[in-house]
Amino acid sequence: MMYALYLSAYHERKFWFSNRQELEREITFQGDSAIYYSFYKDMLKAPSFERGVYELTHNNKTVSLKTINAVQQMSLYPELIASVLYQATGSNEIIEPVYFYIGIVFGLQGIYVTALFVTSWLMSGTWLAGMLTVAWFIINRVDTTRIEYSIPLRENWALPYFACQIAALTGYLKSNLNTYGERFCYLLMSASTYTFMMMWEYSHYLLFLQAISLFLLDSFSLEQSDKVHEVYKIYIFSLFLGYLLQFENSALLVSPLLSLVVALILAKCLQLNVKKGTCIAKIMKVINFYLVCTLTVTLNIIMKMFVPHKENGHMLKFLEVKFGLNMTKNFTMNWLLCQESLQAPSQDFFLRLTQSSLLPFYILVLIICFLSMMQVIFRRIKISRSILLLSTCKISGKSLKETITLEDGRIGGRPEIIYHVIHTILLGSLAMVIEGLKYLWTPYVCMLAAFGVCSPELWVTLFKWLRLRTVHPVLLALILSMAVPTIIGLSLWKEFFPRLMTELMELQEFYDPDTVELMTWIKRQAPVAAVFAGSPQLMGVIKLCTGWMVTSLPLYNDDDLLKRNENIYQIYSKRSAEDIYKILTSYKANYLIVEDAICNEVGTMRGCRVKDLLDIANGHVVCEEGDKLTYSKYGRFCHEVKINYSPYVNYFTRVYWNRSYFVYKINTVISFQS
């Protein structure tokens, strides 16, 4: 509750939200966030819920010449739920729609940190770990969440449920859990897994990483095999239920998650059908990893052959170029590569984590847990070999189950710890390549670091390795598990608490009069049936603030929309007036908006300006070795059209302008000039 209220207060001070008109509030939603919120508004305006859903699933009033199923394509289930709750609870008589919407998201963020708190508590056995987790999460919120910059993002709706799923999974994997606790964790895990999958279109990729972690846990830990396979059943249930309720979303059927889980279940069945102790059983155990990998790839290929689906070709091409496997001049690919969130993390990211003492403690905890885990794994392999050599067929798998006590100092022997170590390594490896994935990894870093410094078992493990004899290891571990987090907490309080309070006291200002003037002009002067063309980010704001139809949207999961975006961006290239006119009229555009910030863009990374990327894609400036420099005979369109000379005036008439935007009406031309 405190964290949700903190976010609400900070949002109010940052945007001065309560003192602004509705139009100014809506302008704070930028890019794809504006699209999500606009559909929430459409649902509230609909005469009934059924009619609103129908209009979203057969939407032909957003993008010109295109009918889309917005619910499926943009995962609008959060907006559907929010609109139902707003009207069903009678909140329309108490609170404005925008406050209700952002209030739900802030509430979910409160659930997010609560789930992290509980997970760290479950792992360490003390609430101090939970408090330290939340403290690090809030202090490093620039790197743990994007809630400050874009409230309606799908990840802000989905990740709280994923955090709940991880908390439930952590409890479920514990060896000493009673029957009722196990059932509760299983039900919570089932509900949160399915909800997470419904909220975010990329959720199955994150669950795929989790499934890999559980597979490796199953391979290393003989104790939790049955529990792990129960989790696999949850995945299958969630995938097929999601497939049915997401309008038969074929992306779930061809997802790597489904192929991996089916392969794991098939491999398990093969092992169960082979008599234990035989030569074949021993071979199956050795080649299990290879068998699962082969089955996963084979099943995924077969599914893609027989299940009709839209292949995300642009994602595969992006990864090829990202890892240096291919070169391209394609505008969309290069534009994506230039996005800050898709580049490698900067040094500032690691510096911020180090300044808050998070990264050093995380590395220490990870090293201890990983080495202890490897020590336990090799020990179990050695015991297994001894059993096989002695041919003690009567010895069951129970002989390998051990009750690990605090005095043993084997933190890496706990199944939930093995899972979290593997999962954080996988997420961290990806975050080192793509900065945007740090929002998945950094909360994990907070949780794992806090668990480690507050866990007596981890300190005992360390002291056992150091062969400490002067003081009893368990006693010293108990003292340090309370003293170290207390010292860290006090130092964080002294250094960062005044900064947080200062942020809440400062009244920041978000003022964009040019955009307000543009939206006001469109609502007053443009015909209701008009279609606007411009940058995708601006089109999202126009759709939200005015409701007018646009030619493109800031969405990157649809090949047709990506192609549209590239074509509309040609207004900033060195193309002729005739070429631009043909492109715009092919999408039935009536008005063109040129943004001065893009046309005269400076200061960004070299070669990453929109106009530079367009010149490379169009062959007007080639920067690669072996290619000749070529130049267009036309000037840059966004500059030339402002001068008002022929042939530009024959195609475009300026009807409005301010310091940031130039609006041109696209004329009805009978014939083109040569």
Side-chain angles (χ1 to χ4, degrees), residues 391-565:
S391 301
T392 53
C393 299
K394 293 181 180 181
I395 297 178
S396 64
K398 294 181 181 178
S399 63
L400 295 179
K401 293 187 179 181
E402 299 174 90
T403 302
I404 299 175
T405 61
L406 179 62
E407 291 80 2
D408 293 332
R410 293 206 300 272
I411 187 75
R414 291 164 52 187
E416 69 273 23
I417 304 301
I418 297 175
Y419 158 72
H420 281 293
V421 168
I422 297 171
H423 200 182
T424 190
I425 290 174
L426 291 176
L427 288 174
S429 301
L430 293 175
M432 294 303 102
V433 179
I434 299 176
E435 184 173 10
L437 296 178
K438 71 181 181 181
Y439 299 107
L440 303 176
W441 179 61
T442 313
Y444 229 114
V445 172
C446 299
M447 182 182 67
L448 203 67
F451 138 74
V453 296
C454 298
S455 173
E457 198 171 350
L458 182 133
W459 291 108
V460 171
T461 302
L462 179 60
F463 295 150
K464 287 283 187 179
W465 291 344
L466 298 176
R467 300 183 183 277
L468 188 66
R469 300 183 185 277
T470 54
V471 183
H472 196 282
V474 176
L475 177 62
L476 184 58
L478 290 171
I479 295 173
L480 288 178
S481 64
M482 291 185 289
V484 172
T486 302
I487 294 171
I488 294 172
L490 290 174
S491 64
L492 293 177
W493 178 279
K494 182 179 179 181
E495 183 175 355
F496 293 98
F497 183 75
R499 299 185 191 179
L500 296 177
M501 291 299 101
T502 302
E503 289 176 351
L504 291 181
M505 295 299 294
E506 288 181 352
L507 184 61
Q508 303 179 43
E509 187 172 10
F510 178 85
Y511 188 53
D512 190 359
D514 293 341
T515 304
V516 173
E517 291 173 7
L518 174 64
M519 300 304 151
T520 304
W521 181 86
I522 292 174
K523 294 172 75 172
R524 292 178 179 176
Q525 302 295 330
V528 177
V531 178
F532 283 83
S535 70
Q537 288 72 25
L538 180 60
M539 294 302 99
V541 179
I542 289 177
K543 171 64 177 68
L544 168 60
C545 297
T546 68
W548 265 244
M549 191 177 291
V550 295
T551 56
S552 58
L553 292 175
L555 299 173
Y556 312 109
N557 59 354
D558 184 276
D559 290 336
D560 179 61
L561 286 176
L562 285 173
K563 187 63 179 175
R564 280 177 175 246
N565 293 346

Side-chain angles (χ1 to χ4, degrees), residues 278-470:
T278 62
C279 182
I280 297 177
K282 297 173 186 176
I283 295 173
M284 287 288 294
K285 204 166 188 178
V286 173
I287 67 170
N288 183 56
F289 185 83
Y290 174 78
L291 178 65
V292 169
C293 293
T294 305
L295 279 174
T296 301
V297 175
T298 304
L299 288 172
N300 195 252
I301 293 173
I302 293 173
M303 292 295 287
K304 288 183 177 180
M305 288 173 59
F306 292 99
V307 177
H309 66 287
K310 291 183 179 179
E311 184 69 54
N312 290 326
H314 62 279
M315 290 183 62
L316 297 176
K317 292 177 182 176
F318 166 77
L319 292 175
E320 287 180 2
V321 178
K322 174 71 178 176
F323 294 108
L325 302 177
N326 199 355
M327 297 290 291
T328 182
K329 297 179 182 179
N330 180 269
F331 169 80
T332 301
M333 291 299 104
N334 288 326
W335 186 82
L336 289 173
L337 286 170
C338 285
Q339 299 305 298
E340 184 178 352
S341 61
L342 295 177
Q343 295 178 4
S346 63
Q347 292 183 352
D348 293 339
F349 167 60
F350 299 104
L351 182 61
R352 287 192 297 269
L353 297 188
T354 303
Q355 288 174 339
S356 64
S357 71
L358 174 59
L359 191 59
F361 282 108
Y362 167 75
I363 294 174
L364 174 65
V365 171
L366 183 62
I367 290 174
I368 294 174
C369 289
F370 181 77
L371 292 178
S372 178
M373 181 185 78
M374 298 305 296
Q375 187 180 38
V376 170
I377 290 171
F378 286 127
R379 185 172 180 271
R380 287 178 178 173
I381 292 173
K382 187 177 180 180
I383 293 174
S384 299
R385 285 180 177 175
S386 300
I387 292 172
L388 291 173
L389 288 172
L390 293 172
S391 301
T392 53
C393 299
K394 293 181 180 181
I395 297 178
S396 64
K398 294 181 181 178
S399 63
L400 295 179
K401 293 187 179 181
E402 299 174 90
T403 302
I404 299 175
T405 61
L406 179 62
E407 291 80 2
D408 293 332
R410 293 206 300 272
I411 187 75
R414 291 164 52 187
E416 69 273 23
I417 304 301
I418 297 175
Y419 158 72
H420 281 293
V421 168
I422 297 171
H423 200 182
T424 190
I425 290 174
L426 291 176
L427 288 174
S429 301
L430 293 175
M432 294 303 102
V433 179
I434 299 176
E435 184 173 10
L437 296 178
K438 71 181 181 181
Y439 299 107
L440 303 176
W441 179 61
T442 313
Y444 229 114
V445 172
C446 299
M447 182 182 67
L448 203 67
F451 138 74
V453 296
C454 298
S455 173
E457 198 171 350
L458 182 133
W459 291 108
V460 171
T461 302
L462 179 60
F463 295 150
K464 287 283 187 179
W465 291 344
L466 298 176
R467 300 183 183 277
L468 188 66
R469 300 183 185 277
T470 54

